[in-house]
């Protein structure tokens, strides 16, 4: 019976994380491309500490991973996350966030960290 407990715990954790609309939207964006905190600050019009707190929760759960480039950290969905396929199936049912990234690029803010 214990073998059935872990998948439910994993699903419950995922649902808790994506139950917040900001984190869900962040994941939809990170599904399209990796982003640094400053790009997410611009997209969400939130403070850097607020964005970082959401990313911290996602990272601690293993849902997102990071890549360092100099002093900047870029986040993306962790394709090794145990419930990755479930997460992707949910994200794919949401509106496509590529236009948000395209708008960021058009405004010259897509790579604001370099």
């Amino acid at each position: 019976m214990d073998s059935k407990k872990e998948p439910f715990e994993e699903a419950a954790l995922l649902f808790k994380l994506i139950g917040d609309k900001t984190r869900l939207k962040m994941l939809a964006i990170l599904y399209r491309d990796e982003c640094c905190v400053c790009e997410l600050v611009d997209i969400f019009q939130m403070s850097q500490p607020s964005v970082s707190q959401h990313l911290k929760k996602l990272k601690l759960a293993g849902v997102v991973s990071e890549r360092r480039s100099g002093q900047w950290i870029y986040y993306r969905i962790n394709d090794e996350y145990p419930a990755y396929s479930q997460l992707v199936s949910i994200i794919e049912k949401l509106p496509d966030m590529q236009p948000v990234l395209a708008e960021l690029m058009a405004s010259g803010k897509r790579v604001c960290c370099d």
Side-chain angles (χ1 to χ4, degrees):
M1 287 198 183
D2 272 344
S3 64
K4 292 184 180 185
K5 186 177 181 185
E6 189 170 317
F8 284 101
E9 287 176 7
E10 191 71 44
L13 174 61
L14 177 60
F15 291 143
K16 183 176 179 180
L17 288 168
I18 65 174
D20 179 278
K21 70 178 182 177
T22 300
R23 284 193 294 271
L24 183 59
K25 191 172 180 180
M26 278 183 185
L27 289 169
I29 290 167
L30 297 175
Y31 176 67
R32 289 292 168 200
D33 199 4
E34 65 180 12
C35 289
C36 69
V37 172
C38 64
E39 292 168 322
L40 294 170
V41 164
D42 193 63
I43 290 168
F44 288 96
Q45 296 295 297
M46 295 172 67
S47 70
Q48 180 271 325
S50 293
V51 170
S52 293
Q53 281 295 85
H54 284 293
L55 289 169
K56 180 180 178 181
K57 288 179 182 180
L58 294 169
K59 184 178 175 222
L60 286 173
V63 179
V64 298
S65 58
E66 63 183 33
R67 174 183 67 84
R68 292 189 176 268
S69 179
Q71 66 181 0
W72 306 111
I73 301 173
Y74 294 88
Y75 294 89
R76 64 182 173 275
I77 292 183
N78 178 8
D79 59 4
E80 294 181 16
Y81 177 63
Y84 176 79
S85 61
Q86 291 90 340
L87 177 61
V88 167
S89 70
I90 292 167
I91 291 172
E92 288 178 340
K93 290 173 178 54
L94 298 171
D96 183 8
M97 297 307 293
Q98 190 60 43
V100 172
L101 293 169
E103 183 179 323
L104 198 63
M105 178 73 87
S107 69
K109 297 177 183 175
R110 182 62 179 109
V111 189
C112 64
C113 297
D114 293 336

